[in-house]
Amino acid sequence: MSATVHVSSVRSLYKRILVLHRFLPIDLRALGDQYVKDEFRRHKQAQPEEVKKFMREWKNYRDTLQAQVLESAGRQLSQVKYGANLPVEKLKDFQDEQISQLYELMLESTKPNRQFDIQEDNK
């Protein structure tokens, strides 16, 4: 794949994920947007084999979130559940740093008083 096509593919995936995040509750959107931005930035100089895994997993995330957004159309946000269970087999492939990062993300996304207390402007 040429560098131009690859950059375009990465940028398209990144933008699509941020668009899908607009359908999340505002606090989860803020958390998700920051996480996505950090991860894509962190992997700018990744090795080709790591890039393949990175893109595959983010495409899976995009597809899952897109299906959940479409499924949730017309329902109240409080009734909608986003996310998916992570199989143990996938966890075995994670590095210690990734497990720690995933744990922190889980804690932040499930606490009753989230770090991001953002009010949406209803103007």
Side-chain angles (χ1 to χ4, degrees), residues 65-118:
L65 185 56
Q66 186 165 302
Q68 291 172 343
V69 163
L70 290 172
E71 183 182 306
S72 71
R75 289 199 241 158
Q76 292 184 357
L77 281 178
S78 60
Q79 298 174 337
V80 178
K81 300 291 184 210
Y82 292 104
N85 291 327
L86 192 60
V88 175
E89 303 82 51
K90 279 203 175 193
L91 279 175
K92 291 177 183 177
D93 293 336
F94 283 28
Q95 298 170 359
D96 290 343
E97 180 184 330
Q98 292 172 308
I99 296 285
S100 178
Q101 189 178 21
L102 188 60
Y103 181 70
E104 291 296 323
L105 185 61
M106 186 270 308
L107 289 177
E108 188 61 43
S109 66
T110 58
K111 59 169 121 164
N113 297 320
R114 295 186 180 120
Q115 172 185 348
F116 298 99
D117 187 22
I118 299 170

Side-chain angles (χ1 to χ4, degrees), residues 12-36:
S12 175
L13 177 62
Y14 176 78
K15 287 180 178 181
R16 182 65 185 153
I17 290 169
L18 293 178
V19 166
L20 287 167
H21 280 180
R22 293 179 188 165
F23 296 93
L24 296 173
I26 192 72
D27 50 349
L28 290 180
R29 176 183 177 185
L31 180 64
D33 284 355
Q34 189 59 52
Y35 186 79
V36 168

Side-chain angles (χ1 to χ4, degrees), residues 3-17:
T4 306
V5 172
H6 174 70
V7 169
S8 177
S9 175
V10 171
R11 190 172 289 139
S12 175
L13 177 62
Y14 176 78
K15 287 180 178 181
R16 182 65 185 153
I17 290 169

